[in-house]
Amino acid sequence: MGLTQGELAEKAGISQQLIGKIESCDVSKPGSLEEIAKALQVSYSWIKHGAADISNKSVSSNIDSFILTADSSIDEAINTMIIINGQRGLAPNELNIEVLKRAFKISLRGKLTGDYVTAAINVDDIKRPR
C-alpha cells in the first residue's frame, strides 16, 4: 500500500520498532499481526501465511471482480491487436502474441488504476513495431 513503517505503525496502533521486527520475521507479539491486518483491511490469514481466506465473501467478490475486469481487458486487447494488424497491412485475425500481451497489460492496468491517460499513451507505443 506504499506505507512507511511509521505510517503503518500509526494506523495499526503499534510501534514502528515492532513493524521492523515483524518485517525481520521476529514476531514476539502475534496479536500485533491482527492489528496490522485490520489497519490494512486484509485478512489475518494473508498477513500470517501470505494466503487469502477465500471463504471470506469480500475476498471472493474481489476475485470475481478481477476476473471480470481481466475478461474485459482481454477483449479490448484482441480488438487493439486487430486494429494494429490492419494498420500494419496484416490479416485482422493474425495472432501477434507480443502485441496481444502488451495490449492486455495496458488495458488491465488502466481498468485497475483508472489511469486511462497513461494507458492511451502506451497504446500509441504498441502501434510502433519493435
Side-chain angles (χ1 to χ4, degrees), residues 78-99:
I78 290 167
N79 289 335
T80 299
M81 185 186 68
I82 290 169
I83 291 167
I84 291 171
N85 281 351
Q87 292 171 345
R88 292 181 178 169
L90 303 171
N93 61 349
E94 186 173 325
L95 182 60
N96 185 327
I97 297 289
E98 186 60 32
V99 168

Side-chain angles (χ1 to χ4, degrees), residues 59-69:
V59 170
S60 180
S61 175
N62 288 340
I63 291 169
D64 291 341
S65 175
F66 179 79
I67 290 169
L68 288 173
T69 302

Side-chain angles (χ1 to χ4, degrees), residues 12-50:
I14 58 179
S15 73
Q16 181 176 342
Q17 291 78 10
L18 184 54
I19 297 290
K21 285 182 176 182
I22 291 169
E23 286 184 348
S24 305
C25 297
D26 177 14
V27 185
S28 55
K29 290 185 173 180
S32 58
L33 294 179
E34 291 176 26
E35 297 304 318
I36 292 171
K38 287 177 192 172
L40 296 175
Q41 298 178 342
V42 298
S43 74
Y44 173 76
S45 179
W46 185 81
I47 292 287
K48 177 106 170 119
H49 306 289

